[in-house]
Structures are given as structure tokens and as C-alpha cells.
């Protein structure tokens, strides 16, 4: 179980690192490119609505069975909350502060670094938090395509109608989600105490 | 007077937004070392005039020049870094301490500044205030920090948009005196926006009265009472009791 929990955590974290690495810059770009905002958000939204088992199924012929397909799908699901959180954060920055940055002679990049991202940080972090907790849950299904993780125990339990085995997978997954959520709550408290 | 000598020059500037004429054929020259006060009611176009100087907005027609060069031809980053601007509401960054707010401008330009000295100048003991966030400051303290921030890059030109408006009368008076004390030795040119005639008479070397987006009159402070126009007389009347 410990091995599977570790695998599960690795899947989740890897997917989240990628989702943040793609989602935050994507949101920053969308914030500046109003024209693209609607269409791109629509695509990200649609990705979110595809049932996870189906998405895993679609990916197998392309990326094969195993963790690669799983991570790909998890990233696709995590993207929406990350992009939305970041975009909301950027869009709700007080315009007076943007002007204040401009008046100090900030370049676009400096304004992003010193004003927009720090002020949007609570919403960005919140988006990542929501996505992370959801990813822990979705990652259990990744076992269906041979990516391992706690889902293995759950699927095995379902197949053998063994509630104890289902619980052996579900309980650590829930604990993991709670622990990560708690970690984010702590981060928020320590960074955004003003 | 040589036209190049003006630090700021508005030449028949109009600014229209959402169909409304905010500035109407506005012409004015600000000379080196003077503190020109723009006095007017809310909505008379004072803040708009300031925002045109550092290129936060562009005129609908006419030209604004800084040091003889149209704002449109300046590298805006470079222009803004040479102007200290105090925004009406302070505009301090809530995620940075007072000290970091002050130091940020120079830091962006790769320089440092004497944060403690600047806090002292605006009457805030550095040891106590350097590490405070804007939300831990009173309205007046925030405005003082904003003034210190505008001075941090030691800019030759200051734009001050009602910098002392949120202060109690006594503190306001002290800061006005403070401002008058250091602006001359520091050789600053300043445009100071206010709707307070008492303040205008205290800090200004010249007072321009604005009404409905136009400049009604612009005279040396000492001559204000003699040469006040219609709007200027209204101000005198309104402030009669305190003058």
C-alpha cells in the first residue's frame, strides 16, 4: 500500500507541476489576448467534460498503456482550475495598482512580476489547490490503464467484491487529498497574512 | 521666454473619453523649479492633465511636451522613471512593506535609495514604519509613504494628485510646510493638484484654476486674489472663512 501511495503521489505531483507550468503562463497570455480568451477557455472546458475513463481510453492508442497517458489526462483535467484561478486573479487586480506600476516606469514583464502575479497569487494558489485535490481523486482511475497508484487496490477490490481492499485504496487516497489540501491551506495562511 | 525652457508644455490639448470632453483646448507651460498648482472642483480635468504628462493617457488632439519633447516621442518607461507621481488614492502595493514600496522604483532602474532617510523626510520614523504593510497604516501614513515613494528615484519632476487629502488639518499643514521646505533646495519642478484653496496658496508658486476641462486663469500665488476669475472667486468665496 505504501508503494502504491507513493506512486499515486508521484502521479499527482507530476501532473500538477505540468499543469501549473502550462496553465499559469497560458492564463497570463490569455489575460493579454482577449481575442483568444473565449476559444481557448472553451477548449479547456471541453477537455474537462470528457469522462475520465473515456479520455484514458482515447489516449491509449496514441500514448500507450501506462503512466504517460495517465499524466497527460490528469494534466488536461487540472488545467481548467489552474487557468481559471490565474485568470480570475489577474483580472481582479485593482486597476489603480496597475496604473501605479505603470507610473513607476515598469515594463510589462516587471509589472507582471511585481504587481500582477503577487496580487493574483491567492487565486492562483486556490486554483492549484482545487486542481490538486481533484487530481488525487482522478488519479485513482489511472490504474485502469496500468499507471498504478491507489486505484489498483480499488479496481482489484471491485473485481473481487472485496470492500476491505476498496477501502485500502480509497482511504489513503482520501487521506492524501486531505493532507495536500491542508498543506495548501497552510501555505495560504503563511503567505497571505496581511 | 524660450519655449524649450518649459519643463512641461500643454499645447491646445483636448482629451475626450466616452464622448465627454474632459480637457478642452488646454494650454499651459510649467517652468523649471516652480510648483504649479492646478486648482479645481472634482471632475474639472486636473487629474487628466497629470496623466497626460507621464503618458498614462494620450491627448485626443494637441501636444503635451516634457523637456521640449512630445510625450508620444518619449520612451515611456524612461519618461515615467524620471517623474515622481503620487496617485490620488496612494496606489501603494499591499503585498509589499512601506520600505519595499519606496525602494521598488529605484530597484527597477538598478539603483538603491535611502529608504530610512525618505521615511524620515515625510515624518515617519523608519524603525517603526519600514516593515509595515499598507493595510497596517492609517490613510495619512499611506499618503506619506506614497510621497516618499515618489521621491525615491530623486526625479526632477513631481506630479502630485491631492497627495495630502486624506490627512487631518494639522498633519496636512505640517506636510505642506515640509514640502515647501525641501522642494526649493532640491530644485524640483512640481505640478500639484488640489481642490483646497488654502493648500494651493501654501504650496504653490503659481495657481492655475480649472473649470470644466479648461484653464480659467494661471497667475502667481501672490496675485491670486487680485486676478481671480469667475471660478477663482467662487473658491475665494467658499474658503472665505478660512483665509
Amino acid at each position: 500500500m505504501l508503494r502504491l501511495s507513493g506512486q499515486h503521489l508521484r502521479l499527482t505531483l507530476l501532473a500538477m507541476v505540468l499543469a501549473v507550468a502550462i496553465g499559469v503562463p497560458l492564463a497570463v497570455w490569455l489575460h493579454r489576448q482577449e481575442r483568444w480568451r473565449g476559444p481557448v477557455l472553451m477548449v479547456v472546458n471541453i477537455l474537462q467534460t470528457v469522462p475520465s475513463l473515456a479520455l484514458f481510453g482515447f489516449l491509449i492508442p496514441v500514448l500507450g498503456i501506462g503512466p504517460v497517458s495517465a499524466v497527460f489526462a490528469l494534466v488536461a483535467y487540472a488545467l481548467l482550475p489552474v487557468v481559471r484561478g490565474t485568470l480570475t486573479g489577474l483580472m481582479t487586480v485593482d486597476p489603480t495598482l496597475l496604473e501605479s506600476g505603470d507610473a513607476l516606469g515598469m515594463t510589462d514583464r516587471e509589472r507582471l512580476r511585481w504587481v500582477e502575479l503577487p496580487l493574483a497569487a491567492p487565486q492562483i494558489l486556490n486554483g492549484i489547490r482545487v486542481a490538486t485535490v481533484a487530481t488525487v481523486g482522478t488519479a485513482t482511475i489511472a490504474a485502469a490503464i496500468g499507471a498504478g497508484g491507489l486505484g489498483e487496490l480499488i479496481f482489484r477490490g471491485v473485481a473481487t467484491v472485496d470492500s476491505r481492499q476498496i477501502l485500502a485504496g480509497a482511504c489513503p487516497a482520501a487521506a492524501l487529498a486531505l493532507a495536500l489540501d491542508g498543506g495548501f491551506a497552510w501555505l495560504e495562511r503563511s503567505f497571505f497574512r496581511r | 521666454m524660450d519655449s524649450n525652457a518649459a519643463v512641461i508644455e500643454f499645447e491646445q490639448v483636448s482629451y475626450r473619453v466616452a464622448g465627454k470632453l474632459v480637457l478642452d483646448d488646454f494650454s499651459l507651460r510649467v517652468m523649471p523649479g516652480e510648483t504649479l498648482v492646478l486648482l479645481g472642483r472634482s471632475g474639472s480635468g486636473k487629474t487628466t492633465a497629470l496623466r497626460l504628462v507621464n503618458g498614462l493617457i494620450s491627448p485626443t488632439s494637441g501636444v503635451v511636451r516634457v523637456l521640449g519633447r512630445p510625450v508620444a516621442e518619449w520612451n515611456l518607461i524612461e519618461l515615467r522613471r524620471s517623474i515622481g507621481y503620487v496617485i490620488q488614492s496612494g496606489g501603494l502595493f499591499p503585498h509589499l512593506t512601506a520600505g519595499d514600496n519606496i525602494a521598488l522604483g529605484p530597484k527597477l532602474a538598478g539603483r538603491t535609495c535611502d529608504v530610512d532617510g525618505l521615511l524620515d523626510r515625510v515624518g515617519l520614523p523608519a524603525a517603526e514604519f519600514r516593515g509595515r504593510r499598507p493595510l497596517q497604516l492609517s490613510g495619512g501614513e499611506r499618503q506619506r509613504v506614497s510621497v516618499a515613494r515618489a521621491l525615491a528615484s530623486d526625479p526632477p519632476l513631481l506630479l502630485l494628485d491631492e497627495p495630502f487629502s486624506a490627512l487631518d488639518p494639522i498633519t496636512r499643514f505640517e506636510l505642506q510646510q515640509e514640502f515647501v521646505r525641501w522642494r526649493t533646495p532640491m530644485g524640483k519642478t512640481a505640478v500639484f493638484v488640489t481642490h483646497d484653496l488654502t493648500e494651493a496658496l501654501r504650496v504653490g508658486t503659481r495657481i492655475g484654476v480649472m473649470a470644466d476641462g479648461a484653464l480659467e486663469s494661471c497667475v502667481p500665488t501672490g496675485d491670486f486674489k487680485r486676478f481671480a476669475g469667475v471660478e477663482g472667486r467662487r473658491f475665494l468665496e467658499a474658503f472665505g472663512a478660512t483665509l
Side-chain angles (χ1 to χ4, degrees), chain A residues 96-97 99-107 110 114-115 118-119 193-194, chain B residues 51 56 77 80-81 85 87 89 91-95 104 107-108 133 149:
Chain A
T96 316
L97 297 177
E99 184 163 308
S100 193
D102 287 339
L104 277 179
M106 287 186 185
T107 61
E110 285 165 347
W114 289 101
V115 186
L119 289 173
R193 232 181 352 206
R194 281 183 187 154
Chain B
R51 287 154 52 91
L56 289 173
I77 306 295
R80 289 167 182 165
R81 284 184 183 176
Y85 184 34
I87 295 184
S89 54
L92 293 179
F93 300 123
H95 56 293
L104 185 55
K107 184 175 178 171
L108 294 173
R133 299 263 176 108
R149 180 170 73 171

Side-chain angles (χ1 to χ4, degrees), chain B residues 34-239:
Chain B
E34 76 170 332
T35 298
L36 184 115
V37 172
L38 287 178
L39 177 71
R41 307 184 203 196
S42 306
S44 57
K46 311 182 295 286
T47 299
T48 303
L50 282 193
R51 287 154 52 91
L52 285 163
V53 176
N54 61 1
L56 289 173
I57 51 175
S58 307
T60 310
S61 65
V63 189
V64 182
R65 292 191 189 85
V66 176
L67 297 174
R69 215 158 116 200
V71 170
E73 289 175 17
W74 274 88
N75 170 342
L76 281 183
I77 306 295
E78 189 192 330
L79 174 69
R80 289 167 182 165
R81 284 184 183 176
S82 60
I83 297 176
Y85 184 34
V86 182
I87 295 184
Q88 205 164 8
S89 54
L92 293 179
F93 300 123
H95 56 293
L96 299 179
T97 62
D100 289 343
N101 262 289
I102 293 169
L104 185 55
K107 184 175 178 171
L108 294 173
R111 287 184 284 124
T112 55
C113 68
D114 174 16
V115 172
D116 291 5
L118 287 159
L119 280 168
D120 269 352
R121 176 168 298 153
V122 294
L124 298 174
E128 192 184 333
F129 286 94
R130 195 194 307 116
R132 291 213 198 157
R133 299 263 176 108
L135 283 179
Q136 298 167 317
L137 301 172
S138 71
E141 288 161 353
R142 277 203 285 272
Q143 281 193 313
R144 288 162 185 250
V145 174
S146 304
V147 173
R149 180 170 73 171
L151 292 171
S153 297
D154 195 21
L157 174 59
L158 293 171
L159 305 176
L160 305 116
D161 195 353
E162 302 190 10
F164 308 142
S165 63
L167 302 170
D168 63 82
I170 297 167
T171 313
R172 191 186 310 162
F173 179 59
E174 283 170 2
L175 269 181
Q176 287 162 350
Q177 285 186 311
E178 199 60 34
F179 172 76
V180 171
R181 221 183 339 262
W182 53 250
R183 63 126 191 258
T184 315
M186 286 172 84
K188 305 281 185 210
T189 305
V191 182
F192 193 116
V193 160
T194 183
H195 52 237
D196 179 345
L197 177 59
T198 320
E199 180 164 75
L201 291 170
R202 272 188 202 137
V203 304
T205 52
R206 208 150 54 108
I207 300 177
V209 176
M210 291 190 67
D212 297 325
L215 191 66
E216 180 188 85
S217 62
C218 194
V219 294
T221 307
D223 297 335
F224 183 77
K225 290 176 194 172
R226 261 192 303 155
F227 295 110
V230 178
E231 187 75 354
R233 278 199 298 277
R234 282 198 191 112
F235 268 99
L236 280 168
E237 213 174 356
F239 281 82

Side-chain angles (χ1 to χ4, degrees), chain A residues 7 11-12 25 37 51 54 62 72 74-75 93 105 116 118 123 137 145 148 163 166-167 182:
Chain A
Q7 224 170 33
L11 269 180
T12 305
R37 206 178 293 160
V62 188
F72 191 94
L74 293 177
V75 170
V93 172
E116 297 180 90
Q123 272 103 324
I145 54 167
S163 312
I166 296 179
L167 283 174

